[in-house]
Amino acid sequence: MAAAVEKPSLDKMSSSMTSSITGMGLGGITGLATTLSTLSCHCEQQITIGGMPTNYVPGLSANYNISSFCQRPGQTRRWPMQRPGPPAQSRPGLKHAPRNIPNNQYTHNLICKLADQNERRRRQDVMELISQSYYSQQPLKVELTEFYSRDNSKEHHTEQYDLVNDNLFPNPVLRRGQKFLFAVRFDRISDKQLDVIHIIFCCGPKPCVTKGTRIVLPVQWTPQPNIFHHPRDVIGSGIGLSVGLPRMQDASTITTTAVGTTASMSPVSSIRETNSYTVRRSSFGNDPVPPAQPSPLSPHGTIERPVVDRFSAAPQQPTYGRSCCSQQGSVQNLTPSIPESEKWDINIHRQDGNTITFQVSIPPTAPVGLWNCWVQTSRLGQRDNRHDYKCDEDIYIIFNPWCRDDTVYMENEESRKEYVLNDQGKLWCGTWHQPIGRKWIFGQFDDVVLPASVYLLERSGLEHSERGNPIRICRAISSMINANSDDDGLMVGRYDGEYKDGVAPHAWTGSVAILERFLTDGGQSVSYGQCWVFSGLVVTICRALGIPCRSVTNYVSAQDTNGTLTIDKFFDKEGNVVPNGPAEDCYDSCWNFHAWNDVWMQRPDLPQGYGGWQVIDATPQKEADSVYRCGPASLEAVRRGEVGFNYDTAFVYSELNSELCHFQEEDDSDWGFIKMASNQHQVGRKLVTKNPAVEDEEGDSDLMEITQEYKPSNGSATDRLSVIASSRGFQRFQQSHDSSNQNQDDVAFDLMDIEIVPYGQPFDCCMNIQNKSDEDRTILCILTASSCYYTGSIASRLRRAQGEFIVRAGQREVLKLRVTPLEYMDKLVDHSMIKVHAMAYVKQTRQAWSEEDDFPLHKPKLQIQARQLSLGQESTLVFSFQNPLAVHLTDCYFTFEGPGIQRPRQARFRDVKPGELVTYQDKVLPKREGAIHVVATFSSRQIDEIFGSAIVNVKG
C-alpha cells in the first residue's frame, strides 16, 4: 500500500517530518516537500507521510509546479508547465476527487490563484522580519582606486620602470609569484553581512575563466566554511534570499551534508533554514541570471568590453584564495586539485572607514602581459543589482627571476643584476681575431618598451592562456622581431647598404628609438636592422618582460641552407667565385659574425639537465612553420650535439660545427670540381658575450669568451659524424668529403693575419709559400682583396694578383698584394670589412689549397664629455672626433642618447673639412642622478659607424 513504508528507518523519519510541519506556513511546507521529493528519487517506491505523497501540498493539484512561485525579485513569473504522463486524477492515492469532475480547468486555475495569494502573504511576513536597509541601500560604488605602484615596485624589483614612476598615469609593473597591495575607496562604509565584493582580473580581449585569463576573487569578510551562499537556502520565502541574512544571536551554524542525508535545522527568528538538495542547482548556484540592466561585465552586455563571469575562476587558475578555499568545502571536490602556490589569492589587508586595502597574491604561473582590474559589488541575494567598476590603471604582470617557483628563476644575484636589471651593454661585431664591442642602450625600463612588447605579443597571435610559458613567449619574440616574412614584425632587415628610405642599422644607438617609432607609426615595421640590432632588441624585450637574457656573437657563423653540415664554396679555374655552385642550388654562406641571444629558463619539456641558457635567434634565416624564428634551443643540447631536442637545435648546431669546404673547377675531375681545402674548426671559431663583472667604455676588456659553453674542447671527428648520422642521412655529405687528391702535400701555404689597419691607411696582403720537397715546384697563385658585407658576400673587388712561378726545393717565397686608400675608399660597405682570399695549385702534384681571412678597418672613436651635470639643471654634452679622410664629409648627423638625461635624438650637422677636428655640443636636462651611460654615433655619406660611449655622473 502507498500509505505504508516497508523500512522502519523511513517510518521513523516520516513521523519526525510529520511532527515538524506543525506550525509551519504553506511556504515552509512547500520547501520541505521539495526537499523530501528529492529523497524519493532514490527509492523505487514513493515515500508517503500519513498516506500522502511527500511532494503533495493540500489543496494543490498534483501536476501543479510549485517551483513556479520561487522566482527572484524583479523576475517574470514562470507559469506552470504541463508535465508528461497520465493526468493527476488517474494516480493512485487521490481518492478525494472523482474522475469526471466538471470544470476541472477552472478548479485548477482557482487553486493556483489562491496558492499564489497565500504565497504573497507569507512573503510579506518574511520581509517584515528583514531589516529594511537590506533593500533600501544600493551596492557599494567605487569612487577611487590606488595600486601603490611605487610602493609595490620595491618588493617586485620594478622600481626602475618609467611606467611605475609616471607622475600623470602611474601603472603597476608586478612580477608573478609575489603579493601586492591596492586600495579601493567606496561611497560608504561596507556592510560585512550584506555587501558582496568581487575583485576581477582580466587579460586579453576575451578573458576566459577556464583558460586562466579571467580571475574572479571573492572578498571574504569572515570565512564560514559550512555555508552555501545560494538564494534558495531560506525555506518559506520563495523569493531568492540567501543564507547569510542578518542573524540573531540565537542563530546556530548550519551543517552541510551530502545528498541523501539529513541536515540539522535551527530557527532563525521564526525562519527555518536547510540545505537545498535539488539536482537542478548545479555547481552550487552557478545558474545564470539575466541582469536587469546591461552591464559592461555581463555576457549579454551591448558594450564591447571584457566579459567577466560572476562566479568562480578557471580550474587552471582558481579564483579562490587560501582563505576562502575552505569556505565551500564541497566546491573543492568539483575542480581539479591545484597546488596552493599556483592559485590567485586575495585578503583584506586593512580597512579605514570606507577605504579597503587588499592584498593579492599572483601565482608564479600566471600569464604575463597587460591585465585590467574590475571591482564588482552587489548586495547579498541581489545579484541582479550590481555595480561594475573598471580601474583606470593598466597592470603589467611580468616574469620573476627572483621567485623559485617561476620557470625563469635565476639563483645568482649578480647574474640577475646583469641579465635582468642592466639597461645597457655591448653588442660584439668585427672578426674573431679583432672583435669590436659596440655600446648599446637596451632601455628596458623606458615607458615605451613594455607597451610595445605587449603589442608585439598581440601581433604574434600567441594565445593569452599560453603567455605564462617562457618557451612560448621567447618563440613568439623570435618571430616578431623581424618583419621579413610578413608586415607584422618590428624591424625590417637589410644587408645591401641601401638605406635611403629608412635608417641605417649602424645609426641606431639603442632599442628605445626603434620601439618608439614602431608605436608612433601605428605598428608599422621600422627600417632597417641587422643581426646585432635584432639581438639588442631581443635583450630589451626579454629583460622588460622579466626573462634573463644576454647577447651572444658567434664568429665565423655558418648558414647551412641544404642541411649537409657543410659550407660549400665553388671557384672557377681563374679563382672567381661560382655563385650558388655549379648546379645553382647551393646558397651556403659563412658570416664573419652573427649575433643571437641566450635566454635563461627551465625546460620541463626536456629531460633533466637541459635547462639554463637557451638559444633564440630573431634574425630571419631559418623558416619554421612558414615563420622566420629559431629556438629556444637548449645550449647544453647544442654542446652535446643532441640535435633531436626542440626547438631548432640542429640548425643552431650547424651554425657552430659545419665544415668549411672549397672546390675548384678541374677538367680532369669526374664531376668537374676538385676539393681544395676543408676545415672543421673554422666555423664557430669564437663565441663571446659581455662580461658582467667588467665595464669598459674605451676598450674591449669587458669581452667574455663562452666558446666552451657551446662546443666541447675535446671534440673529435667521430663525435661529429655521429651527430650527423643522428640528425638525418647525409649521402651527399659523404660524397663531398671523398677528396680526389690522394697525393702527399709537400708544399705548405699560409695566409698571414693582418694587424689592425686604421681607416684611410694602406694595407698588405701576404701569402707564405714553403716548398718542403726535394724538387722544384711550379705553383699557380691567386691573391684577391675585396670589400665584403659581414654576411660574407662580396661587395666589390679591390685588387687581384695572379701568377705562375717556380719555388726551388726547400725554399720559401712570399707573395704580397698592397691595397691603397684610393682603391678601397669608395668601395667599402657596412662595417668596412675586407676579405682576402688566396688560392694555389701545384702542377706537379695537383695539390690544391685555399684559404680566406676577413678583417675590419678601424675608424676613429667618438669622444664624449660632460660639463657639470646636475639633476634638474640644463647641462651640456660635447662630442668630438677627427676626420680621418682627405675629403669633405657631407650629409652629416649625430645620434645620441642617455637614459635619464636624454631620450634618443638625431641632430643634423654641417659639412666637415678634410682632417678637421669635429666638435659638437648639445643641451641636456638630467632627470636621474648617478652614473649615466651615454652612447653616440656620427654618420655621413663618406664615412659612418663612428661611435663612442662614456659614463657621466649626474649630481643630485
Side-chain angles (χ1 to χ4, degrees):
M1 295 178 59
V5 179
E6 294 180 0
K7 297 183 180 180
S9 59
L10 293 179
D11 287 336
K12 182 178 180 180
M13 183 181 67
S14 301
S15 61
S16 63
M17 289 297 185
T18 304
S19 61
S20 66
I21 63 176
T22 305
M24 294 180 61
L26 180 60
I29 299 174
T30 303
L32 180 59
T34 303
T35 302
L36 294 179
S37 67
T38 306
L39 294 177
S40 66
C41 69
H42 299 285
C43 303
E44 295 182 358
Q45 185 176 5
Q46 190 178 39
I47 301 175
T48 61
I49 300 178
M52 303 297 293
T54 56
N55 62 348
Y56 172 74
V57 178
L60 296 185
S61 173
N63 69 341
Y64 179 71
N65 187 4
I66 294 295
S67 64
S68 63
F69 295 103
C70 298
Q71 80 279 2
R72 299 178 177 83
Q75 276 191 305
T76 305
R77 178 172 303 282
R78 294 174 291 183
W79 292 105
M81 303 292 294
Q82 182 68 34
R83 293 183 178 179
Q89 60 267 28
S90 65
R91 297 182 182 177
L94 298 180
K95 301 179 180 180
H96 63 283
R99 288 179 177 272
N100 299 320
I101 182 172
N103 299 323
N104 188 42
Q105 186 64 37
Y106 170 78
T107 57
H108 176 77
N109 294 339
L110 178 63
I111 195 61
C112 287
K113 182 181 72 173
L114 297 177
D116 188 20
Q117 293 174 353
N118 184 73
E119 184 77 12
R120 292 173 183 269
R121 287 191 291 270
R122 299 291 79 77
R123 186 190 334 175
Q124 183 63 30
D125 294 341
V126 172
M127 293 186 65
E128 291 177 357
L129 300 176
I130 303 173
S131 174
Q132 292 300 314
S133 63
Y134 179 78
Y135 288 104
S136 62
Q137 285 193 346
Q138 292 296 317
L140 291 167
K141 292 185 179 180
V142 178
E143 293 183 343
L144 187 66
T145 59
E146 172 59 54
F147 277 85
Y148 302 114
S149 299
R150 297 178 182 176
D151 296 318
N152 287 317
S153 67
K154 297 176 182 178
E155 295 294 329
H156 288 250
H157 306 280
T158 58
E159 63 271 20
Q160 298 184 55
Y161 283 84
D162 290 347
L163 292 173
V164 170
N165 299 297
D166 191 282
N167 293 325
L168 293 177
F169 305 105
N171 295 109
V173 180
L174 308 171
R175 297 192 187 273
R176 62 184 195 173
Q178 289 190 227
K179 301 178 180 179
F180 70 94
L181 299 175
F182 82 101
V184 182
R185 189 179 73 191
F186 297 99
D187 61 336
R188 58 176 173 81
I189 298 178
S190 58
D191 188 330
K192 297 183 179 180
Q193 292 182 318
L194 298 180
D195 283 321
V196 178
I197 303 174
H198 288 84
I199 307 299
I200 303 169
F201 293 94
C202 301
C203 177
K206 296 181 180 180
C208 179
V209 170
T210 58
K211 293 183 178 181
T213 54
R214 178 170 60 196
I215 309 300
V216 183
L217 301 176
V219 177
Q220 301 297 320
W221 303 102
T222 53
Q224 299 179 6
N226 295 325
I227 297 179
F228 288 110
H229 291 186
H230 192 272
R232 298 195 185 97
D233 286 338
V234 179
I235 292 183
S237 65
I239 58 174
L241 301 180
S242 301
V243 173
L245 294 175
R247 296 175 177 271
M248 302 298 181
Q249 294 183 355
D250 60 346
S252 59
T253 304
I254 298 175
T255 303
T256 303
T257 57
V259 175
T261 59
T262 305
S264 62
M265 298 182 292
S266 59
V268 181
S269 185
S270 76
I271 300 178
R272 297 186 180 273
E273 301 176 348
T274 186
N275 294 304
S276 173
Y277 294 101
T278 52
V279 179
R280 67 186 175 195
R281 200 185 81 186
S282 62
S283 300
F284 302 98
N286 284 0
D287 47 324
V289 180
Q293 299 292 334
S295 168
L297 298 182
S298 172
H300 305 285
T302 58
I303 303 177
E304 294 185 358
R305 295 187 182 178
V307 180
V308 179
D309 191 23
R310 290 171 289 177
F311 301 102
S312 62
Q316 296 94 326
Q317 303 289 345
T319 60
Y320 302 105
R322 297 178 182 87
S323 60
C324 56
C325 280
S326 60
Q327 177 205 357
Q328 301 183 6
S330 299
V331 175
Q332 285 186 330
N333 297 329
L334 301 180
T335 58
S337 177
I338 301 176
E340 291 293 323
S341 61
E342 297 183 11
K343 298 178 181 179
W344 289 75
D345 190 16
I346 189 171
N347 57 68
I348 297 177
H349 183 70
R350 62 179 298 175
Q351 183 173 5
D352 298 313
N354 59 345
T355 300
I356 302 177
T357 303
F358 300 98
Q359 185 181 62
V360 178
S361 296
I362 309 173
T365 57
V368 302
L370 186 64
W371 289 72
N372 297 117
C373 180
W374 298 75
V375 181
Q376 184 185 96
T377 58
S378 62
R379 298 285 284 177
L380 195 63
Q382 301 182 51
R383 289 180 294 185
D384 300 341
N385 185 15
R386 189 182 74 201
H387 286 299
D388 299 316
Y389 178 87
K390 183 179 184 297
C391 303
D392 294 332
E393 293 85 352
D394 289 330
I395 304 171
Y396 292 89
I397 296 180
I398 61 178
F399 292 100
N400 191 354
W402 283 265
C403 176
R404 290 185 177 273
D405 295 327
D406 199 314
T407 48
V408 302
Y409 171 70
M410 179 173 272
E411 185 174 8
N412 186 274
E413 177 62 24
E414 294 301 319
S415 296
R416 288 194 292 256
K417 289 181 180 179
E418 173 66 24
Y419 301 124
V420 181
L421 300 180
N422 196 350
D423 63 352
Q424 54 81 33
K426 273 190 176 179
L427 308 176
W428 296 92
C429 305
T431 60
W432 72 270
H433 52 81
Q434 295 184 33
I436 298 176
R438 179 178 180 132
K439 203 72 174 182
W440 190 265
I441 300 298
F442 299 122
Q444 67 265 32
F445 305 122
D446 194 274
D447 56 11
V448 305
V449 173
L450 262 183
S453 302
V454 170
Y455 180 69
L456 281 171
L457 290 179
E458 294 297 327
R459 292 270 285 264
S460 72
L462 181 64
E463 291 288 341
H464 291 79
S465 58
E466 297 180 350
R467 298 185 188 181
N469 185 348
I471 300 174
R472 302 290 293 169
I473 289 286
C474 289
R475 197 149 173 82
I477 292 174
S478 170
S479 67
M480 291 306 299
I481 293 297
N482 68 81
N484 287 55
S485 59
D486 47 48
D487 296 329
D488 292 334
L490 172 60
M491 172 159 274
V492 179
R494 192 156 190 172
Y495 305 88
D496 57 5
E498 298 295 331
Y499 311 123
K500 293 181 180 179
D501 57 340
V503 178
H506 52 73
W508 303 109
T509 56
S511 304
V512 174
I514 299 172
L515 292 168
E516 187 164 26
R517 179 170 296 195
F518 178 69
L519 286 183
T520 303
D521 294 345
Q524 183 177 352
S525 302
V526 182
S527 303
Y528 290 101
Q530 293 175 354
C531 71
W532 48 282
V533 180
F534 294 141
S535 178
L537 288 167
V538 169
V539 172
T540 298
I541 294 176
C542 285
R543 292 185 183 180
L545 294 175
I547 303 174
C549 183
R550 68 184 183 184
S551 176
V552 175
T553 297
N554 175 32
Y555 287 106
V556 192
S557 183
Q559 304 300 315
D560 179 21
T561 59
N562 53 11
T564 60
L565 282 179
T566 63
I567 304 301
D568 301 327
K569 290 188 176 182
F570 297 87
F571 302 88
D572 60 18
K573 296 178 181 179
E574 302 299 324
N576 300 312
V577 176
V578 179
N580 304 331
E584 297 186 358
D585 63 346
C586 180
Y587 303 95
D588 294 345
S589 63
C590 226
W591 292 23
N592 295 327
F593 70 89
H594 177 48
W596 60 57
N597 298 89
D598 286 345
V599 290
W600 182 273
M601 68 181 72
Q602 298 303 312
R603 290 297 298 269
D605 59 322
L606 300 181
Q608 186 175 4
Y610 291 90
W613 289 119
Q614 314 288 313
V615 181
I616 63 173
D617 193 348
T619 302
Q621 301 175 90
K622 181 180 185 299
E623 187 174 3
D625 302 328
S626 300
V627 178
Y628 283 97
R629 60 186 173 193
C630 181
S634 169
L635 190 150
E636 181 64 18
V638 172
R639 190 185 69 83
R640 295 183 181 184
E642 297 176 346
V643 296
F645 289 134
N646 284 337
Y647 291 89
D648 308 305
T649 307
F651 180 78
V652 177
Y653 181 87
S654 71
E655 292 183 286
L656 299 162
N657 298 281
S658 291
E659 184 171 352
L660 186 61
C661 298
H662 287 182
F663 300 90
Q664 187 179 28
E665 189 177 7
E666 173 61 52
D667 293 335
D668 297 334
S669 172
D670 296 334
W671 64 294
F673 285 83
I674 63 170
K675 182 178 179 182
M676 303 175 63
S678 65
N679 192 322
Q680 296 183 8
H681 307 287
Q682 184 70 13
V683 172
R685 191 65 178 262
K686 180 186 290 187
L687 290 105
V688 301
T689 188
K690 179 187 176 296
N691 191 334
V694 181
E695 291 287 344
D696 187 353
E697 299 296 324
E698 298 295 332
D700 295 325
S701 63
D702 49 357
L703 178 146
M704 182 173 70
E705 183 174 356
I706 55 173
T707 308
Q708 69 283 356
E709 296 184 31
Y710 277 87
K711 303 175 69 173
S713 57
N714 58 347
S716 64
T718 304
D719 297 333
R720 184 173 177 277
L721 292 176
S722 66
V723 172
I724 296 172
S726 67
S727 58
R728 63 176 69 181
F730 283 89
Q731 293 183 358
R732 179 178 176 180
F733 174 85
Q734 297 296 342
Q735 292 174 1
S736 66
H737 283 70
D738 292 335
S739 177
S740 60
N741 184 14
Q742 302 295 332
N743 297 327
Q744 182 178 2
D745 297 339
D746 54 14
V747 180
F749 300 94
D750 182 28
L751 182 61
M752 301 294 293
D753 293 337
I754 298 178
E755 300 298 331
I756 294 177
V757 178
Y759 193 92
Q761 298 297 318
F763 60 87
D764 295 323
C765 306
C766 299
M767 181 176 69
N768 289 335
I769 305 172
Q770 182 181 6
N771 183 2
K772 298 181 180 180
S773 70
D774 298 332
E775 300 176 358
D776 295 346
R777 294 293 185 236
T778 302
I779 302 174
L780 172 65
C781 291
I782 302 174
L783 192 58
T784 307
S786 306
S787 66
C788 69
Y789 299 99
Y790 85 96
T791 59
S793 300
I794 300 298
S796 299
R797 178 183 294 177
L798 304 180
R799 280 204 67 185
R800 184 174 187 267
Q802 178 178 350
E804 181 177 308
F805 55 93
I806 297 175
V807 180
R808 301 299 180 184
Q811 296 297 314
R812 293 174 179 268
E813 295 289 344
V814 177
L815 182 63
K816 182 182 293 186
L817 179 67
R818 188 172 184 84
V819 182
T820 64
L822 292 178
E823 293 173 316
Y824 69 72
M825 194 64 68
D826 59 343
K827 298 178 181 178
L828 295 177
V829 291
D830 294 347
H831 304 279
S832 302
M833 290 279 186
I834 304 294
K835 179 183 288 292
V836 179
H837 180 242
M839 295 178 61
Y841 180 74
V842 182
K843 287 190 174 182
Q844 288 82 0
T845 61
R846 299 180 61 187
Q847 175 187 347
W849 170 86
S850 176
E851 190 172 336
E852 62 184 37
D853 187 26
D854 302 88
F855 66 94
L857 297 175
H858 286 252
K859 299 176 181 178
K861 283 280 188 178
L862 183 62
Q863 303 297 323
I864 304 174
Q865 295 178 338
R867 297 179 180 176
Q868 299 178 351
L869 293 179
S870 300
L871 184 65
Q873 298 181 9
E874 190 177 81
S875 305
T876 303
L877 290 179
V878 181
F879 309 93
S880 62
F881 76 98
Q882 188 166 13
N883 180 8
L885 304 181
V887 297
H888 282 78
L889 305 182
T890 59
D891 294 338
C892 305
Y893 60 91
F894 286 88
T895 305
F896 63 97
E897 66 176 298
I901 63 172
Q902 179 61 58
R903 294 186 62 79
R905 181 181 176 185
Q906 186 177 97
R908 304 299 301 183
F909 192 67
R910 59 174 176 82
D911 291 352
V912 177
K913 298 177 181 180
E916 178 186 354
L917 178 61
V918 181
T919 301
Y920 169 71
Q921 299 182 13
D922 209 325
K923 300 293 184 181
V924 294
L925 184 64
K927 298 180 180 179
R928 184 194 305 172
E929 61 179 324
I932 304 295
H933 291 264
V934 179
V935 179
T937 67
F938 172 85
S939 297
S940 68
R941 185 182 297 274
Q942 292 74 22
I943 187 173
D944 50 31
E945 294 181 284
I946 296 179
F947 55 86
S949 63
I951 298 178
V952 298
N953 291 312
V954 178
K955 297 180 181 180

